[in-house]
Amino acid sequence: MSSVDAQAGISSREAEVLSLLGEHLSNAEIGARLFISVRTVETHVSSLLRKLGAPDRRALAGLAVEWGRVARGGRVAPALPSPVTSFVGRARERALLAEAVTTQRQVSAVGPGGVGKTRLALAVAADTAGEFGDGVWFADLVPVTDPAMVGAAVAAAIGVGEQPGRSLDDSVIATLADRRALLVLDNCEHVRDGVAPFLERMLGSCPRVTVLATSRARLMVPFERVQPIPPLSLSGDAESDAVALFLDRAAAVGWPVPPEQRGQAAEVCRGLDGVALAIELAAARLPTLGLDGLTDTLSDQLRLLSGGARADDRHQSVRATLEWSHALLDPADRTVLRRVSAFVAPFTASAAARVAGFAPLDPAAVTDGLARLTEHSLLTVVPSPGGTRYRTLESIRQFGAERLAEAGEADEVRSRHLAWCAATAADLVADAAPDTGAWRSRFDTAADDVRAALGWAAAEPAHRAGAHALALDLAAAAFRRTLLGEAQQRYEQAAALADDPAPALREAAAVAGCRMRGEDMHRLHRAAAAAALAAGDTAGAARDLATAAAGAYRFARAFTHPPQDEAADLLAESRELAGADPAATAAIALAECGVLGAGSALPEALTRAERAVELARRTGDPLAESAALDALTATLCWAGDTVTTAATTRRRVGLSLPDTPAGALERVTALAEAAEVAVGVGDLAGARRWGRQLRDLPLLAERGDFATSRLLVADALVGDAAAVLDGSTRFLDAWERAGRPHAPDLATAAAAVAMVHGLRGDDSRERWRTVVTDLGVTPRDSAGYRAVFDTIVLLHHGRTAEAAERTAADPGTFDEQVLWVWRDWYVVLRAEAAALTGSPEARDRVAAARSAVAGNALAVAFLDRAEAVLDGDESRLLAAVKAFQRAGCPYQEARTLVLLGGAHATAGARALADLGLGVG
């Protein structure tokens, strides 16, 4: 820990978390990097928010850059960054709101724009943070222009990614289900249609979460307690809260008000009805007008307000002050103010110059204008890692948008904003290295404006083509950012804007597959077929229908209700449409592997799968070839030919797949198969290599159980206990966050973890055995690998008779698909157990096993060791040590040394200790 970290009270682990927050990673991604649970990450993030005084994760990401500079010898940022301005007054409202937050489920701080709701909510959140053991989160909804994106904004605020089989909203709710936390939702009024249903679901499912919302109008949701936020108090004249705010802001701009003029300041505040924003705008003008000039010019504007309207609508005070402040600007600055209202999120000077820099302004004038508008409190400077950004308060932005429409510039400015967003999105997609903190930061800072521009353009017939292109780029960028739900939504939006919807629908279908949304994938392939058919592309329609039919089998576990019943009809329809098109013919051949496979004999199924591979290869499309090799792998598994299966998976994983959703989906399944099959042929190095690649795929950030599953098995067999214990944390954490679903395919990994705990002799073995059962695997389907893992543990602890009994069943009695990749492991362990017990069947078992494991160097090493034990041949045992070393299996290498005895046994025990295992 650096001395700076120590002074700020930040632990070494918190510093690591802060650094990864700077890379814009989710909690699950940080947990995967540090081998800690998501709950632990959340705890560290909450601690950092408190210690560094940051309002939200985005602010922490910015502070991470400063801490990085400290680590490189730079100057430290303040440990507790102060707000741009101080919080003044409101003791009564602060206490009332704090009491409401600690006693109610959902509190809405309601008041007109500019009254100070946000600052009060932040102060109350800080005051009550100690009541919420799992933290306080802040989500600013100002940049959110689509009500459907409210859940996404909350997810970003709390660091949640989209979990497998769940929407992002569902993932947020699942994460918060048992949390005792406070969620602050700021500026809800313009997306109430999205906030209300989201909160209703969340509050119903998360009984310990409290929501503090700020809004100009109540949200009308269950549990809502409305807390009106009035203007600042005017009672006490010169001693009032309103005057205190005026004096504070006046001093901040270098114009302190002397005591004898405070009565005059009180008159100004009364004229402004105590509205905080109006007072701040007035105080910002003191350096140019002085208090006398301010009083005279402002009073002229306030005379326009009179009677009931003013009493009934305090927001008129903000309106009048904005109009007054606007009138004092020079024409160029007025132009800048209205043109930058197109931005919904903080923006840079260069972005503003691109959008606002046209006649009568040049780009340099825009930059100068931004500085002057900041001096007058009409813009706020927001420091960020990428440089200074400017933010417009929502009340001021809306005012600017009205002036933009009045000036007749709205279409021009929004068109330029659209062009800037389009260029930004295109750059994000073209970036060759998206999996970096810098790229994620660029996406996060641009995404809200891109979404807003797309929403505007999609409703403008003249910009339909631009909206289509932008939707495609946003979809591709969102997919890279692992915002899979949004990626699918944007591809479908692009399809709705396209003259030819089929290509975008196909991309949407692939994203749905990555999301494990089988029904969506099926629906979208069928929609693509209908679109292709409407366009006269019969071959394309045939491909889509055949792909839908094949997907019903390839991705059956992604369906709630697998549509296999209709797959035969889809296949028949695709045959009628295909003609001689090679790609359609290849797609049909692949579909036949699934649709016709169940009723076929093995030779026929094998011939069909090999034909599908050949036809796919001829198309030159690696995606088609990957899918066909997947079908061939399944058929070879059925045949029990692990050697050819391994060669097939190596061929598949070696394909150069495109950087698209469809390519990502193929890559995931290819790596999983390759790692799994490599274990069966003794290629532990390959299994670990492909397992690591699978583990590190950004697409699987929130699927830590699946991502680590193949590597856990390989690491367990190698004997790397530390790696297994680290990986099992992510596995268990992800599975539990997903709701502990039945996932039989993951049970092998859990059983491997149980095996390692068995080797270590600790109590966690039974816990992991329970996980295996809870994953929903049947005793029949787990019989093969459970026998292998149990036998390894029994032999490790010298319980050879029990090991022999555990492997008593002849391998021929197992179903081939049950024994699967574990056949070689089972037969060699069966032979070894017989040899160690001195069974008269031992030599026959070794001999029978040799013919079964030909080509598997690791399995041969087991059999050589067994024969050496039978013969008492020390030299062959030493040769087996080398063989296990070459095979990359240090655990069996160390065990062989233990079997040798003497000094070798001492070395073996030391090697086992280094692996995190003990001698049985």
Side-chain angles (χ1 to χ4, degrees):
M1 184 190 305
S2 73
S3 60
V4 172
D5 293 338
Q7 291 169 11
I10 294 177
S11 69
S12 297
R13 179 63 87 190
E14 287 172 344
E16 291 177 311
V17 170
L18 181 60
S19 175
L20 294 176
L21 283 168
E23 296 184 30
H24 289 245
L25 298 177
S26 72
N27 289 341
E29 290 170 320
I30 294 172
R33 294 275 190 98
L34 300 180
F35 302 106
I36 57 179
S37 72
V38 170
R39 182 63 74 95
T40 302
V41 176
E42 290 173 357
T43 300
H44 289 314
V45 172
S46 294
S47 177
L48 287 166
L49 288 169
R50 184 179 67 255
K51 290 178 179 180
L52 296 178
D56 54 29
R57 288 176 67 90
R58 187 169 291 189
L60 280 180
L63 287 172
V65 176
E66 296 301 318
W67 287 100
R69 291 186 186 130
V70 173
R72 296 188 297 272
R75 296 186 62 185
V76 63
L80 291 170
S82 300
V84 176
T85 55
S86 59
F87 185 84
V88 175
R90 291 200 180 277
R92 179 175 178 276
E93 294 95 328
R94 190 168 178 172
L96 287 173
L97 193 57
E99 180 184 7
V101 164
T102 54
T103 58
Q104 305 294 321
R105 292 292 317 284
Q106 200 270 302
V107 181
S108 294
V110 175
V115 80
K117 300 184 295 295
T118 298
R119 291 298 304 275
L120 179 59
L122 284 172
V124 168
D127 293 342
T128 59
E131 301 291 327
F132 301 97
D134 290 314
V136 177
W137 296 298
F138 177 83
D140 183 6
L141 301 185
V142 164
V144 179
T145 54
D146 181 353
M149 297 297 294
V150 168
V154 175
I158 66 178
V160 171
E162 186 176 331
Q163 294 165 2
R166 286 174 168 160
S167 68
L168 195 51
D169 285 12
D170 290 339
S171 297
V172 169
I173 291 168
T175 298
L176 298 181
D178 63 345
R179 301 297 199 266
R180 171 64 173 150
L182 173 64
L183 173 62
V184 181
L185 292 182
D186 195 31
N187 292 289
C188 296
E189 57 276 346
H190 65 296
V191 284
R192 279 197 301 167
D193 290 347
V195 172
F198 175 79
L199 284 188
E200 188 167 350
R201 286 189 60 213
M202 187 185 72
L203 291 168
S205 302
C206 308
R208 302 175 68 219
V209 171
T210 295
V211 175
L212 171 58
T214 73
S215 178
R216 296 183 186 180
R218 62 180 303 175
L219 302 178
M220 306 298 289
V221 295
F223 311 109
E224 184 177 27
R225 158 80 176 272
V226 175
Q227 188 72 33
I229 305 301
L232 289 163
S233 170
L234 294 165
S235 62
D237 292 328
E239 304 302 319
S240 69
D241 284 351
V243 172
L245 178 65
F246 184 87
L247 297 179
D248 181 87
R249 300 307 189 252
V253 297
W255 200 271
V257 177
E260 64 272 15
Q261 291 185 321
R262 291 184 181 178
Q264 194 175 0
E267 286 298 319
V268 169
C269 293
R270 275 194 296 273
L272 296 172
D273 291 325
V275 175
L277 176 58
I279 291 171
E280 296 198 4
L281 290 173
R285 284 291 178 175
L286 279 171
T288 54
L289 297 176
L291 186 56
D292 291 336
L294 173 66
T295 304
D296 292 341
T297 58
L298 184 57
S299 62
D300 290 340
Q301 183 67 36
L302 294 176
R303 287 192 196 101
L304 299 174
L305 301 173
S306 62
R310 178 174 172 185
D312 293 340
D313 186 359
R314 297 291 184 176
H315 188 59
Q316 294 248 8
S317 299
V318 173
R319 168 72 55 178
T321 313
L322 282 171
E323 290 176 350
W324 166 78
S325 188
H326 181 259
L328 294 177
L329 296 173
D330 64 44
D333 291 350
R334 293 179 202 166
T335 303
V336 173
L337 182 65
R338 67 175 179 259
R339 290 179 179 178
V340 298
S341 69
F343 292 97
V344 298
F347 55 88
T348 62
S350 62
R354 289 275 300 274
V355 173
F358 61 95
L361 296 180
D362 60 31
V366 173
T367 303
D368 292 342
L370 295 175
R372 287 190 293 272
L373 291 172
T374 301
E375 291 173 1
H376 297 313
S377 294
L378 291 165
L379 293 179
T380 302
V381 172
V382 181
S384 75
T388 298
R389 290 180 175 271
Y390 297 88
R391 180 176 182 268
T392 313
L393 288 177
E394 183 62 8
S395 297
I396 298 173
R397 193 182 74 81
Q398 291 176 1
F399 178 85
E402 292 170 5
R403 303 289 81 75
L404 188 66
E406 290 173 0
E409 294 180 339
D411 285 346
E412 173 69 15
V413 169
R414 295 197 181 282
S415 296
R416 294 174 70 90
H417 180 251
L418 173 64
W420 175 79
C421 289
T424 301
D427 287 345
L428 286 167
V429 173
D431 194 317
D435 190 25
T436 63
W439 187 92
R440 287 187 288 269
S441 177
R442 287 172 55 211
F443 176 91
D444 291 349
T445 55
D448 287 320
D449 271 296
V450 173
R451 291 165 183 145
L454 176 56
W456 174 78
E460 297 290 327
H463 291 284
R464 185 182 180 89
H468 171 252
L470 184 56
L472 287 175
D473 281 344
L474 180 54
F479 184 81
R480 287 184 170 189
R481 189 66 178 90
T482 62
L483 298 172
L484 304 190
E486 181 174 9
Q488 181 182 328
Q489 173 194 351
R490 300 305 178 187
Y491 277 125
E492 292 194 55
Q493 185 177 17
L497 293 165
D499 295 330
D500 179 10
L505 289 169
R506 290 169 188 139
E507 295 291 348
V511 178
C514 294
R515 299 177 68 205
M516 299 177 63
R517 294 297 188 96
E519 289 85 355
D520 272 4
M521 182 169 56
H522 192 72
R523 168 182 61 83
L524 290 162
H525 278 307
R526 297 204 64 171
L533 198 57
D537 181 9
T538 55
R543 290 197 303 274
D544 292 322
L545 292 171
T547 301
Y553 291 89
R554 290 190 67 206
F555 306 107
R557 290 185 180 87
F559 289 85
T560 303
H561 302 290
Q564 280 105 335
D565 291 346
E566 63 181 271
D569 294 335
L570 294 174
L571 177 58
E573 189 178 352
S574 66
R575 285 169 170 166
E576 293 175 3
L577 295 170
D581 182 78
T585 302
I588 289 169
L590 174 61
E592 289 173 342
C593 292
V595 175
L596 305 180
S600 302
L602 178 58
E604 181 183 355
L606 191 57
T607 299
R608 189 179 292 118
E610 289 171 342
R611 175 175 178 270
V613 171
E614 178 56 25
L615 289 172
R617 186 192 62 77
R618 291 179 191 174
T619 68
D621 180 1
L623 291 172
E625 186 173 358
S626 176
L629 287 169
D630 187 23
L632 180 58
T633 297
T635 308
L636 291 168
C637 164
W638 178 15
D641 186 351
T642 53
V643 173
T644 308
T645 303
T648 303
T649 59
R650 285 195 296 271
R651 176 179 166 186
R652 185 183 179 206
V653 82
L655 291 172
S656 179
L657 298 171
D659 185 18
T660 63
L665 181 57
E666 290 297 327
R667 184 69 174 165
V668 166
T669 57
L671 285 171
E673 283 183 349
E676 186 175 21
V677 176
V679 166
V681 295
D683 182 11
L684 295 183
R688 297 182 89 187
R689 180 172 67 255
W690 292 316
R692 290 189 188 104
Q693 291 177 30
L694 185 72
R695 177 199 64 189
D696 295 338
L697 286 177
L699 181 64
L700 301 180
E702 302 294 331
R703 294 188 60 189
D705 45 2
F706 179 82
T708 59
S709 58
R710 273 53 177 184
L711 183 58
L712 282 171
V713 174
D715 282 343
L717 292 171
V718 164
D720 190 342
V724 171
L725 297 180
D726 285 342
S728 67
T729 297
R730 183 181 176 194
F731 178 99
L732 189 61
D733 187 50
W735 179 61
E736 290 181 335
R737 286 191 301 113
R740 300 172 66 91
H742 278 196
D745 285 356
L746 303 181
T748 311
V753 177
M755 181 195 80
V756 169
H757 285 292
L759 295 176
R760 289 164 56 86
D762 61 45
D763 295 337
S764 294
R765 186 186 187 195
E766 290 308 313
R767 178 193 181 195
W768 279 93
R769 282 180 156 180
T770 301
V771 171
V772 173
T773 302
D774 291 347
L775 281 162
V777 66
T778 65
R780 173 189 174 276
D781 290 340
S782 62
Y785 60 78
R786 277 188 166 181
V788 168
F789 294 150
D790 287 349
T791 303
I792 289 174
V793 172
L794 291 169
L795 292 174
H796 178 84
H797 292 290
R799 294 157 62 182
T800 55
E802 293 174 68
E805 183 179 352
R806 188 69 178 86
T807 55
D810 188 282
T813 63
F814 286 91
D815 183 287
E816 197 60 58
Q817 288 181 305
V818 170
L819 206 51
W820 179 208
V821 299
W822 300 102
R823 172 172 289 279
D824 287 8
W825 286 89
Y826 183 82
V827 297
V828 299
L829 287 168
R830 186 170 186 259
E832 180 171 349
L836 289 170
T837 57
S839 169
E841 298 178 346
R843 293 190 186 277
D844 290 339
R845 288 187 179 179
V846 169
R850 284 197 183 278
S851 61
V853 303
N856 184 335
L858 180 60
V860 170
F862 272 94
L863 297 176
D864 288 346
R865 182 173 67 188
E867 275 194 343
V869 167
L870 286 171
D871 296 338
D873 189 333
E874 182 175 325
S875 63
R876 291 188 67 189
L877 280 173
L878 287 170
V881 170
K882 297 296 185 183
F884 283 120
Q885 186 180 68
R886 288 191 299 272
C889 192
Y891 168 65
Q892 295 298 341
E893 178 186 349
R895 268 204 71 235
T896 311
L897 289 171
V898 171
L899 289 172
L900 275 161
H904 293 300
T906 302
R910 188 164 52 248
L912 288 171
D914 290 343
L915 289 170
L917 306 170
V919 180

